[in-house]
Amino acid sequence: MAAYIARRLLATIPVMAIVGIFVFMLLHLTPGDPAAIIAGDNATEQNIAAIRARLGLDRPLHEQFASWVWNTVRGDLGISMFSNMPVTKLVLQRAEPTIALTITTLIVAVTIAITVGVLAAWKVGTLLDRAVMGFAVMGFSVPVFVVGYLLVYVFSMKLKWLPVQGYVSIDQGLWPCLRNLILPSVALGLAYVALIARITRASMLEVLAEDYIRTANAKGVATSNVLLRHALKNAAVPIVTVIGIGVALLISGVVITESVFNIPGVGRLVVDAIARRDYPIIQGVMIIFSGVYVLVNLAVDLVYTFLDPRIRY
Amino acid sequence: MTTAIIAADCPAPAIADRLRIFARRNPTIAIGGTLLALVSLAAAAAPLIAGDPIVFMPINRLKPPSDEFLLGTDSLGRDVFARTIYGARISLLVGLTVALFAVAIGLGIGLASGYYRRVDAVVMRLMDGIMAIPAILLAIALVSVMGSSVRVVIVAIAIPEIPRVARLVRSVVLSVRELPYVDAARASGSKVRKILLRHILPSTIPPLIVQATYICASAILVEAGLSFLGAGTPPEFPTWGNMIAQSRLYLAIAPWTIFAPGACLALVVLSINLLGDGLRDRLDPRLARRM
């Protein structure tokens, strides 16, 4: 097992290396002077020269790359152009709301999606099944920000049940924090729920057609037991895969959700950086989010071996 | 003999009947296709059916929907109906070109890496790397470096889609290349290029068509997201994303400024997804059973 984990960890290195090369090269692939691009349209010659010196753009490319990689590996993601603070520090300051939002959404969405998917597979062909599948197609199609504003309009402005926007730190109590996260989580999680519910239903349908399910039913095992212990357990591998892949949806969605609900998280940091042409921030957050995605999928790979002992290390 | 008589007795069904039969058998294709056709038509005929989307009339700020302004006006007094219709142009353009671009490049990469083992190892690692970068961040980075224009947005949205196409094509190539007829072609001395293009490529087309519709839907969503965040096409052009972004402060007093473009966006993406589901059921039965 330890050898397997070590091998999987090693396998993430080339992936992250490619992410790194890609992220680094983005600024240099473009025609023209990167310093001039960062400086913007109204920059003076001195501004551009200052930026060039600060980002080390006057050094040879391979030297820039080497020092950038070395710094990134040590956790130094450079200095923000706008606030002059280290990017790592800025990201850490903004991490709490983003983590709270993502984890809440993940837990709620996975619970709902698997329940709904199992029910749809159990009652396949019925109205319930069709409603779930219809909802899934809708969930893929309505963008995060449209759902977000619809929820705010109905639940915050008309019914006045929930706050319109903002974030309350978890230090001020669990409920005040969660109250602010309900609407953002629903908006963010909708597509994710749709994705997981669909794969759960498909995977369950495949397993429910197996002989041992008929046997279990025939010998009188309670339906809930057949569904959860016999079927869901065996249907779990594709579901867990999609939960991992779908994290990409959550990460992209977080950037937009935080803008809609005015949550001061890492996503907002990036969006604010767009207008300020604060390229080091965009670069740093890209590396961090990609790293999270790779780690989540590594974890998924490791979970397989627990779910299905037939998968060898 | 009998078949000839029957065929002669029953004239071929009229086109309307055939369409009705097709629609009954493939409801999702029919609904999705019709909705999409209507929106495309409206976008193409925008100058004929809608007023000026750019001009602002401060007197008419935030007017609710009425006979004069079907969907009301926004905070600058611009006609929301006209802007929504014109906004469809950017969305459809981006969706279509991203799908074509991503499929063309992904197809080339997938064919090569499915057939040549040596290319495969390198290229698939590269694809894994690109897939690990969140699509919207990649697009934000590209747009902030290369400036905002429709062309940059299209490239930025297409790049993260390429690995998905390449992997799909590769998996088809891997399963088809071992089939006897490909062996036969190889044994009879066909050139590699001919084997790839004449014998393997056709098998990739049905799943690619399905994939292309999904890419189109997701490209429209990402474009709207980028415009919403201010990293999309230049703000002078009305797009559904930037219309919503520009009206966000007026949600309480002028909800139509947000929900009119929002509803159109959802409707278009929904109809493309329905079309994709229908095509998948028809063209790719193996995948259809799994989903």
Side-chain angles (χ1 to χ4, degrees):
Chain A
M1 188 67 194
Y4 177 72
I5 295 179
R7 209 165 58 229
R8 293 293 317 160
L9 264 173
L10 283 178
T12 62
I13 292 175
V15 175
M16 281 315 289
I18 286 164
V19 170
I21 293 171
F22 209 85
V23 169
F24 176 80
M25 287 310 291
L26 270 181
L27 192 56
H28 298 275
L29 275 177
T30 53
D33 179 0
I37 291 168
I38 291 179
D41 298 330
N42 308 321
T44 61
E45 209 38 58
Q46 286 103 320
N47 282 349
I48 297 175
I51 289 173
R52 194 176 294 133
R54 222 174 99 183
L55 294 179
L57 292 169
D58 41 5
R59 289 185 292 160
L61 199 60
H62 62 271
E63 220 174 90
Q64 286 181 47
F65 183 64
S67 73
W68 181 77
V69 169
W70 175 235
N71 287 336
T72 305
V73 170
R74 286 183 313 157
D76 174 3
L77 294 168
I79 307 284
S80 154
M81 304 293 299
F82 181 77
S83 64
N84 273 323
M85 301 240 287
V87 172
T88 314
K89 196 174 165 198
L90 286 171
V91 170
L92 286 177
Q93 277 175 358
R94 305 281 202 111
E96 189 205 298
T98 305
I99 294 173
L101 174 61
T102 323
I103 301 230
T104 319
T105 309
L106 194 74
I107 295 171
V108 176
V110 169
T111 318
I112 294 177
I114 292 185
T115 316
V116 167
V118 168
L119 288 177
W122 177 38
K123 297 281 181 193
V124 63
T126 62
L127 201 63
L128 177 83
D129 177 30
R130 273 191 229 152
V132 169
M133 294 305 280
F135 160 80
V137 182
M138 288 292 287
F140 283 132
S141 307
V142 189
V144 174
F145 49 97
V146 175
V147 183
Y149 285 125
L150 194 62
L151 291 171
V152 169
Y153 187 70
V154 174
F155 292 100
S156 308
M157 290 176 168
K158 291 289 150 191
L159 297 171
K160 300 198 189 302
W161 288 351
L162 291 162
V164 173
Q165 57 178 27
Y167 175 76
V168 175
S169 168
I170 199 153
D171 299 338
Q172 316 208 359
L174 188 61
W175 173 238
C177 175
L178 283 180
R179 228 170 89 86
N180 275 279
L181 286 178
I182 294 174
L183 294 184
S185 294
V186 175
L188 175 59
L190 200 62
Y192 196 51
V193 170
L195 186 72
I196 300 170
R198 223 156 120 144
I199 193 75
T200 304
R201 175 181 175 277
S203 184
M204 283 289 287
L205 279 181
E206 215 160 274
V207 174
L208 285 176
E210 298 278 347
D211 289 341
Y212 60 82
I213 299 293
R214 194 180 44 205
T215 310
N217 277 325
K219 75 179 183 190
V221 177
T223 313
S224 61
N225 240 341
V226 174
L227 282 178
L228 298 181
R229 303 225 348 228
H230 294 235
L232 185 59
K233 232 174 138 182
N234 284 294
V237 168
I239 300 175
V240 174
T241 310
V242 169
I243 290 176
I245 294 172
V247 166
L249 269 181
L250 287 187
I251 292 177
S252 288
V254 148
V255 179
I256 295 176
T257 311
E258 290 185 356
S259 271
V260 171
F261 291 95
N262 218 354
I263 297 171
V266 182
R268 273 298 297 280
L269 189 67
V270 176
V271 174
D272 293 342
I274 301 171
R276 296 170 182 162
R277 294 173 165 272
D278 203 337
Y279 198 73
I281 289 186
I282 299 179
Q283 220 173 16
V285 173
M286 259 168 108
I287 291 279
I288 293 174
F289 278 6
S290 309
V292 168
Y293 178 73
V294 169
L295 284 181
V296 167
N297 280 287
L298 174 70
V300 164
D301 272 6
L302 298 180
V303 167
Y304 285 164
T305 56
F306 292 107
L307 290 175
D308 191 347
R310 284 169 301 186
I311 296 175
R312 292 294 162 95
Y313 306 147
Chain B
M1 184 67 188
T2 42
T3 48
I5 292 169
I6 291 167
D9 282 353
C10 311
I15 291 178
D17 285 333
R18 277 203 226 167
L19 276 178
R20 210 165 47 228
I21 294 168
F22 179 83
R24 201 176 302 142
R25 286 194 190 144
N26 306 283
T28 50
I29 298 185
I31 297 171
T34 312
L35 281 174
L36 197 60
L38 286 176
V39 175
S40 311
L41 206 67
L48 301 176
I49 53 177
D52 189 319
I54 311 282
V55 67
F56 42 90
M57 302 156 281
I59 300 175
N60 292 330
R61 288 184 75 227
L62 299 173
K63 286 265 159 63
S66 63
D67 285 345
E68 193 188 355
F69 301 107
L70 271 178
L71 295 172
T73 61
D74 69 5
S75 59
L76 296 174
R78 293 175 296 194
D79 183 353
V80 174
F81 176 72
R83 290 176 72 72
T84 306
I85 298 281
Y86 275 92
R89 290 184 157 190
I90 294 271
S91 284
L92 294 174
L93 174 76
V94 170
L96 202 66
T97 40
V98 166
L100 288 177
F101 186 61
V103 164
I105 295 185
L107 177 64
I109 294 176
L111 281 179
S113 81
Y115 204 82
Y116 300 105
R117 286 267 156 77
R118 232 173 258 166
V119 180
D120 190 37
V122 180
V123 168
M124 281 300 132
R125 288 294 81 70
L126 189 67
M127 296 290 121
D128 285 348
I130 296 178
M131 278 176 89
I133 305 175
I136 203 149
L137 283 182
L138 188 66
I140 287 174
L142 270 171
V143 170
S144 69
V145 170
M146 300 177 62
S148 59
S149 72
V150 179
R151 204 180 304 165
V152 172
V153 167
I154 289 170
V155 173
I157 300 175
I159 288 177
E161 301 287 354
I162 291 172
R164 282 169 252 277
V165 179
R167 285 181 152 219
L168 174 75
V169 172
R170 173 177 174 270
S171 72
V172 175
V173 175
L174 284 181
S175 62
V176 171
R177 58 175 279 167
E178 305 301 335
L179 294 181
Y181 76 88
V182 177
D183 275 342
R186 207 174 297 133
S188 65
S190 290
K191 294 216 175 62
V192 171
R193 205 167 60 145
K194 194 177 168 195
I195 295 178
L196 277 177
L197 295 183
R198 293 259 322 254
H199 301 294
I200 295 182
L201 179 71
S203 312
T204 65
I205 293 194
L208 271 185
I209 292 175
V210 176
Q211 189 75 5
T213 52
Y214 291 140
I215 291 178
C216 181
S218 107
I220 290 176
L221 283 180
V222 177
E223 188 281 322
L226 286 176
S227 294
F228 173 73
L229 295 176
T233 47
E236 304 88 85
F237 298 116
T239 68
W240 293 336
N242 70 26
M243 287 174 71
I244 294 174
Q246 287 163 12
S247 302
R248 60 208 297 180
L249 296 175
Y250 306 96
L251 176 62
I253 48 173
W256 57 88
T257 53
I258 286 183
F259 295 130
C264 282
L265 181 55
L267 190 73
V268 166
V269 177
L270 179 69
S271 56
I272 300 175
N273 275 332
L274 284 176
L275 191 64
D277 285 355
L279 289 173
R280 184 195 59 207
D281 293 345
R282 262 187 87 85
L283 298 176
D284 197 356
R286 191 174 50 96
L287 195 65
R289 239 183 297 119
R290 289 207 45 222
M291 277 310 246

